Amino acid sequence: MRTERDGRSVAELSERHILPTPHQVIIVTETLNLKRRAPVWEALSELFVGKELQGYDYAGIAETLRVSGYSLAELEKVLREEVAPVFRSNLSPLAIPEMEGWARDTVVKEIEAYLEHERTGLSRLLSRLTTSRPLPDVATKRWQQIKSLLS
């Protein structure tokens, strides 16, 4: 775990006894486990493809999410804060949609770029506005279907 204040780990701060006073705020972020997260990103990106998903598509997505070990709440957070901001435009009426989905390496590259860019001040503010927007209707219906398979 790293703090946003100076990049030092909580353990490093504890070892040196440089703990924050009650008046200081340190935001601790989970270190991204790409091996675990990449299949989840790829599966959730399928909610934003232009084609109609079939039963086997939903089953495959649900199985990937199930074996990831993330809770439903964590999956929803990943969907809304990491995947949707990158891929939601594919369902825009103005887009020429990607119909078949994206390769895992493309998904990872795009989301990592978004997350890296999102760390700056203005980008963070814009990101909060973007992630608070509801999912596109198609993605919402697909997510509801997947959640029913995960229950």
Side-chain angles (χ1 to χ4, degrees):
M1 298 248 207
R2 299 262 171 214
T3 63
E4 285 189 14
R5 184 176 62 166
D6 61 8
R8 289 183 287 176
S9 73
V10 173
E12 290 169 336
L13 291 172
S14 298
E15 288 172 7
R16 294 183 182 174
H17 306 290
I18 309 173
L19 295 175
T21 67
H23 303 291
Q24 293 175 311
V25 176
I26 295 180
I27 299 171
V28 180
T29 56
E30 174 190 357
T31 303
L32 185 63
N33 180 342
L34 196 56
K35 185 176 180 181
R36 183 177 177 210
R37 189 77 120 238
V40 171
W41 284 344
E42 182 182 24
L44 291 173
S45 73
E46 293 294 313
L47 276 66
F48 299 93
V49 295
K51 72 175 185 171
E52 189 65 38
L53 296 181
Q54 304 301 311
Y56 58 84
D57 294 314
Y58 288 111
I61 293 167
E63 182 58 24
T64 299
L65 299 178
R66 186 177 294 109
V67 301
S68 73
Y70 289 109
S71 70
L72 193 56
E74 291 170 317
L75 291 169
E76 184 139 7
K77 184 174 179 167
V78 169
L79 171 63
R80 293 183 182 282
E81 296 181 7
E82 299 173 8
V83 179
V86 175
F87 295 101
R88 76 180 318 125
S89 64
N90 195 59
L91 295 176
S92 165
L94 302 176
I96 299 173
E98 172 61 45
M99 301 300 281
E100 297 301 320
W102 300 268
R104 181 175 296 176
D105 60 335
T106 301
V107 171
V108 169
K109 182 177 141 194
E110 293 293 322
I111 293 176
E112 282 184 319
Y114 166 76
L115 292 174
E116 185 62 36
H117 184 258
E118 191 263 338
R119 291 182 182 147
T120 64
L122 180 58
S123 295
R124 185 178 298 151
L125 176 63
L126 292 174
S127 171
R128 286 185 187 144
L129 295 173
T130 302
T131 58
S132 65
R133 290 180 15 204
L135 294 173
D137 288 342
V138 171
T140 298
K141 290 175 186 171
R142 291 172 175 176
W143 178 237
Q144 294 303 321
Q145 177 74 23
I146 290 166
K147 284 191 338 185
S148 72
L149 294 172
L150 292 172
S151 301

